[in-house]
Amino acid sequence: MESIQNGSIDSGKEIVLAPEAASAPSKRPSRARMAIAFAVAAVSDFCAIGVKFAPPFEWALDIGTAFALFLILGRRWALLPGLIAEAIPGLAVFPWWVLVVLSITLYDGIKRPNRS
């Protein structure tokens, strides 16, 4: 028996989502994508040395790198702290983009235990 409430049809059927379906983990990138991501990160960190004293170019390089890694690796929250670390003066001497790609590689390999 169907009833109409607030403009929607209620069929009386209950929809239950399994925990896996509710929050499916993102698919792990292939080895080729990871190699391309490492190459982009290494080139960006190397080029950042040359634009250290021209902040607008450094910001453009970092935003471009974050966007390129976003396209290559997909939606990853680890890209945001990398972008923030690159924006802080003095911290940009570390190869943050390579470390970000490395952390994404390592974190994706960790499996969460099943809670039954």
Side-chain angles (χ1 to χ4, degrees):
M1 173 177 202
E2 294 182 348
S3 63
I4 299 177
Q5 296 175 351
N6 297 331
S8 64
I9 297 176
D10 182 22
S11 63
K13 295 180 183 176
E14 187 176 326
I15 298 174
V16 178
L17 292 176
E20 297 85 28
S23 62
S26 59
K27 191 175 173 184
R28 184 175 183 157
S30 67
R31 287 182 184 241
R33 284 187 177 263
M34 292 307 292
I36 293 169
F38 271 114
V40 167
V43 168
S44 175
D45 285 337
F46 181 74
C47 290
I49 296 169
V51 295
K52 208 43 78 187
F53 298 108
F57 294 116
E58 185 178 7
W59 299 332
L61 177 67
D62 291 334
I63 290 172
T65 302
F67 184 71
L69 291 176
F70 179 79
L71 292 176
I72 294 167
L73 299 173
R75 193 178 344 174
R76 307 283 180 185
W77 282 105
L79 295 174
L80 185 61
L83 186 60
I84 292 170
E86 286 285 343
I88 297 174
L91 286 181
V93 297
F94 296 107
W96 287 112
W97 290 120
V98 172
L99 294 174
V100 165
V101 173
L102 181 64
S103 72
I104 289 172
T105 303
L106 295 176
Y107 180 73
D108 280 352
I110 298 172
K111 304 268 187 211
R112 292 187 179 145
N114 290 336
R115 295 184 183 195
S116 300

